Amino acid sequence: MTHDEGSSTGHGLIEALHVPEPSGQHTDKLMLFGQFVGSWDIEWSGIDLDGKPAQAKGELHFGWILGGRAVQDTWIMPGRHESAAPGIRAFHGTTVRFYDPDLGAWRSTWIEPINARVRRFIGHSVDGEIVLLSDEEDPWLRWRFTEITRSSACWRGETSYDNGATWTLDEEMLLTRRPN
């Protein structure tokens, strides 16, 4: 079956996975990440593979999935239309996020084939930020969405080698919403 044959039947992966809006009994909670649905440009800054400060441009896409009960995002660095900067660790991964009412928090799993990484996080809203913690393996990771507005946000990636006693900022991404 060709790609066109699968998508023309309405039973393909895209049609089965993606939906236009949230649904279910926790739609209000789903908006914590649902507020990001759409496409974004990324201005990344961090440390390159040689330990020097570096910058790059990428892209980010959020959408509703699984009957509107979860949010999926795809992060692409460098962006598909950007040149790869020397020394920058490229990544192209996806996160599936859903609200778990028993936890009163978000479950989030990051999958990144380029660097062979999978990390699970638990996320909460804390003082106007979204804080996600992965403490199942070393180093601990903390990902934070800060300075959130309708058209922009800042994402910060931090690590801890002492079980969360101290955190080091590894990378920062300034997000700007693309026009519809």
Side-chain angles (χ1 to χ4, degrees):
M1 175 181 346
T2 67
H3 173 70
D4 290 338
E5 289 171 356
S7 61
S8 66
T9 65
H11 299 287
L13 177 62
I14 299 301
E15 292 83 4
L17 183 62
H18 294 278
V19 297
E21 60 191 19
S23 69
Q25 64 185 22
H26 302 291
T27 55
D28 59 326
K29 300 288 187 185
L30 291 173
M31 292 313 295
L32 184 66
F33 284 101
Q35 68 182 313
F36 298 110
V37 167
S39 293
W40 300 75
D41 291 314
I42 298 173
E43 296 284 335
W44 177 91
S45 61
I47 303 299
D48 69 12
L49 298 173
D50 294 326
K52 298 176 185 168
Q55 296 183 329
K57 294 180 184 231
E59 60 188 278
L60 168 61
H61 307 279
F62 277 83
W64 296 107
I65 62 166
L66 304 174
R69 293 173 190 86
V71 175
Q72 182 173 9
D73 50 64
T74 299
W75 301 71
I76 305 169
M77 183 62 62
R80 291 176 288 177
H81 304 292
E82 299 293 332
S83 299
I88 300 292
R89 181 195 316 238
F91 59 89
H92 190 153
T94 193
T95 310
V96 174
R97 310 171 191 271
F98 66 93
Y99 180 74
D100 182 337
D102 292 337
L103 277 180
W106 281 76
R107 292 187 182 271
S108 179
T109 300
W110 168 250
I111 302 165
E112 182 192 353
I114 291 174
N115 296 298
R117 297 191 320 174
V118 176
R119 287 297 290 252
R120 295 186 321 168
F121 293 81
I122 300 295
H124 299 89
S125 177
V126 178
D127 297 327
E129 296 183 356
I130 302 171
V131 180
L132 298 125
L133 180 64
S134 176
D135 61 2
E136 296 176 333
E137 60 185 85
D138 287 325
W140 284 17
L141 300 180
R142 181 170 67 184
W143 293 354
R144 295 186 301 135
F145 288 83
T146 68
E147 305 166 38
I148 302 167
T149 72
R150 172 97 181 102
S151 60
S152 65
C154 181
W155 179 97
R156 291 184 171 100
E158 302 162 311
T159 55
S160 176
Y161 291 92
D162 57 11
N163 297 333
T166 59
W167 293 94
T168 301
L169 178 66
D170 295 318
E171 59 184 325
E172 181 175 83
M173 292 184 250
L174 301 178
L175 312 175
T176 305
R177 187 182 295 274
R178 290 180 180 173
N180 291 339

